[in-house]
Amino acid sequence: MPHRRSPFPEPPLLPTPSSSASGLAVKDSRVRAFYEILSRAPPAEVESVLSRCGITPLPEHVEVVLRLCYAFPAAAVKFFRWSGLSLKHTPYAWNIMVDILGNNRMFEPMWDAIRSMKQEGALSIATFASAFGSYCAAGLIKEAVMTFDVMDRYGIPQDVVVVNSLLSAICREDGRMADAADFFDRVKGTVAPDADTFAILLEGWEKEGNVTRAKNTFGEMVIRVGWNAENMSAYDAFLTTLVRGSQPDEAVKFLKVMKGKNCLPGLKFFGNALHILIQQNDHVHALAVWNLMVTDSGLVPSLVMCNSMITLLCNNGNLDAAYHLLDEMPYYGVFPDRLTYNTIFDCLIRNKRAREAESFFTEMLKNEQLPSPKNCAAAIRMFFDQYNPSAAVEVWGFMTEVCVLLDDECANELLLGFQELGRLSELRRYADEMLDRGIELRASTVEKLKTAFYKAGRQDAYDRIVRRLKQH
């Protein structure tokens, strides 16, 4: 059975419930000895073995040992009773015992422990938070709510902290938000909710993707607790629900309202929202969210965020916005990298904007942001298609000067471009150069060279290339 997170804080360096002594650096030999007994002795013999071990437990030993015993609750109970004969258990040890029993769905013994804790004066909100979590993890929401109903009989007031604890336990479970909403509606008249209450609910609606309920809860939150920049987790959850729920228009509207209330969210929300919108290929709303982030919030985007936005804009043909973002990046303290430039260069190539691509290629080299071999091959092809062979040669020249290993694809595209233009002298010269460099020519390229040379009556030039290919 998987263990859920314990609802009460752990002392420093305390092992996690799922840990074993063998997997921990347990320095205290007494703790290790107790653990070995509890993990190996049959439950019926635990107390007798403990009595014979000759080790006197201390309160701190009990706490650590119990944290190791979630997997064998019966032995944990025996150890707890045995150690209680010689010491007074701490409230923390009692809480661990309650958590072990609840985690293992031993609810009757759990309540026996709670009643004993009442007599010992050891009860706290953490005790009931543990019970809430155990019942909810077992799918027993009604029993969790009944536990809340009887808390006052045990001297624990039913305040907003307790309400939030139960709501959090319910909301952690998948598909139980209706139960959480029912409980909230029942108690909000007697226990005034706070900002944390609404944050818990809004995070639950976000997990379920229920936009309608999120809007209702957010509206009620504004009425009851007003606007406050400290309530950011609630705002983040609500806005993310809208964006993920295909209502980015609504998210942008609420962001503008929040701007007026000085409650704009932080980089975490904007990063998540942009990620969602980029996945949805929604460049219009992504740009609106981006502008709110960098202009109105004054937040500084990362290089990854800038590159993702530029990719989205380029994929949607919005080159003007991509150029603008490229120019703005240094003002954010973020400098474009090779990916930034290659993304825009690729977009220019795909959209056959030859003049801009030629100019941008020059800028890339000036800024020492080298184009990728794939982009170079595509650029050579595009420049020839747009009747700009000099630009294609410029790209090839860059490849020969900078690249240690020349790209075969670029070479073949250059030859095919000259072949299509019928410029056979350049074709033969560059073919010789490529063969000198050990570049492999595709069979399809060689066949097209044959057609071009034979058509022009220059079989000798083609035959020379073929001889060299055989020697290659």
Side-chain angles (χ1 to χ4, degrees), residues 156-195:
I156 304 298
Q158 297 166 324
D159 59 15
V160 68
V161 175
V162 175
V163 168
N164 291 348
S165 178
L166 178 51
L167 280 175
S168 181
I170 299 173
C171 293
R172 276 198 299 269
E173 306 306 317
D174 293 337
R176 304 314 294 255
M177 278 305 298
D179 295 310
D182 289 344
F183 172 69
F184 172 70
D185 290 338
R186 201 193 86 183
V187 300
K188 66 184 180 183
T190 54
V191 181
D194 62 9

Side-chain angles (χ1 to χ4, degrees), residues 28 85 98 114 137 163 175 197 228 258 318 334 341 364 417 454 466:
D28 196 307
L85 297 175
V98 167
I114 290 173
V163 168
T197 313
N228 191 320
M258 291 177 179
N318 193 344
V334 179
Y341 279 97
M364 291 178 73
Y454 271 59
V466 171

Side-chain angles (χ1 to χ4, degrees), residues 102-418:
N103 186 73
N104 287 278
R105 304 189 181 188
M106 299 169 65
F107 295 117
E108 288 189 17
M110 180 188 79
W111 276 105
D112 289 339
I114 290 173
R115 283 187 282 270
S116 296
M117 289 179 73
K118 180 183 178 184
Q119 294 174 357
E120 294 285 332
L123 280 174
S124 66
I125 290 175
T127 312
F128 286 92
S130 171
F132 295 157
S134 295
Y135 276 129
C136 291
L140 302 172
I141 307 299
K142 184 183 294 185
E143 285 75 3
V145 174
M146 289 173 63
T147 300
F148 171 85
D149 291 337
V150 302
M151 284 180 61
D152 55 349
R153 303 179 197 173
Y154 290 82
I156 304 298
Q158 297 166 324
D159 59 15
V160 68
V161 175
V162 175
V163 168
N164 291 348
S165 178
L166 178 51
L167 280 175
S168 181
I170 299 173
C171 293
R172 276 198 299 269
E173 306 306 317
D174 293 337
R176 304 314 294 255
M177 278 305 298
D179 295 310
D182 289 344
F183 172 69
F184 172 70
D185 290 338
R186 201 193 86 183
V187 300
K188 66 184 180 183
T190 54
V191 181
D194 62 9
D196 287 340
T197 313
F198 290 104
I200 292 165
L201 289 169
L202 287 167
E203 287 168 2
W205 296 131
E206 178 194 357
K207 186 170 72 170
E208 283 201 0
N210 194 323
V211 175
T212 301
R213 294 303 298 266
K215 286 182 178 180
N216 293 339
T217 300
F218 185 77
E220 186 172 353
M221 175 183 178
V222 171
I223 293 170
R224 284 181 174 267
V225 302
W227 294 94
N228 191 320
E230 293 182 359
N231 301 337
M232 203 55 66
S233 61
Y235 302 154
D236 283 2
F238 172 59
L239 292 167
T240 303
T241 304
L242 294 178
V243 175
R244 189 172 282 121
S246 299
Q247 294 196 18
D249 277 330
E250 290 289 296
V252 171
K253 288 178 184 177
F254 276 106
L255 280 168
K256 292 177 179 178
V257 173
M258 291 177 179
K259 173 188 172 184
K261 304 291 183 180
N262 293 318
C263 288
L264 276 173
L267 199 58
K268 176 185 175 183
F269 161 73
F270 282 107
N272 289 338
L274 288 170
H275 178 71
I276 295 166
L277 292 169
I278 288 168
Q279 285 186 321
Q280 296 172 348
N281 198 34
D282 186 350
H283 73 288
V284 175
H285 291 105
L287 195 56
V289 170
W290 179 272
N291 289 333
L292 280 164
M293 177 180 71
V294 299
T295 304
D296 298 319
S297 292
L299 297 170
V300 178
S302 66
L303 175 61
V304 172
M305 294 173 71
C306 291
N307 281 343
S308 295
M309 270 300 296
I310 286 176
T311 300
L312 176 66
L313 295 168
C314 287
N315 287 343
N316 285 275
N318 193 344
L319 267 165
D320 290 340
Y323 277 138
H324 180 72
L325 178 50
L326 177 67
D327 293 338
E328 290 290 317
M329 286 176 68
Y331 295 104
Y332 309 142
V334 179
F335 295 94
D337 63 1
R338 189 182 181 193
L339 175 60
T340 317
Y341 279 97
N342 270 285
T343 300
I344 295 177
F345 190 41
D346 171 69
C347 184
L348 291 169
I349 294 168
R350 284 187 288 105
N351 287 278
K352 301 188 182 302
R353 294 168 71 159
R355 287 187 179 180
E356 289 179 64
E358 184 178 7
S359 175
F360 196 77
F361 175 77
T362 302
E363 181 181 344
M364 291 178 73
L365 300 187
K366 180 181 177 182
N367 292 326
E368 298 182 347
Q369 301 294 345
L370 305 183
S372 66
K374 179 182 176 182
N375 274 348
C376 286
I380 290 171
R381 186 184 313 117
M382 184 269 295
F383 284 134
F384 274 115
D385 289 343
Q386 300 298 309
Y387 303 102
N388 190 353
S390 62
V393 170
E394 184 181 354
V395 175
W396 174 252
F398 152 76
M399 294 290 292
T400 59
E401 291 175 11
V402 175
C403 299
V404 177
L405 296 174
L406 288 172
D407 185 71
D408 292 345
E409 186 70 17
C410 292
N412 281 273
E413 290 296 342
L414 186 73
L415 295 181
L416 290 174
F418 280 123

Side-chain angles (χ1 to χ4, degrees), residues 435-453:
L435 292 173
D436 288 340
R437 294 177 179 273
I439 294 173
E440 182 178 348
L441 303 185
R442 294 193 301 254
S444 59
T445 300
V446 174
E447 187 62 31
K448 289 183 178 181
L449 299 187
K450 177 181 179 180
T451 300
F453 280 116

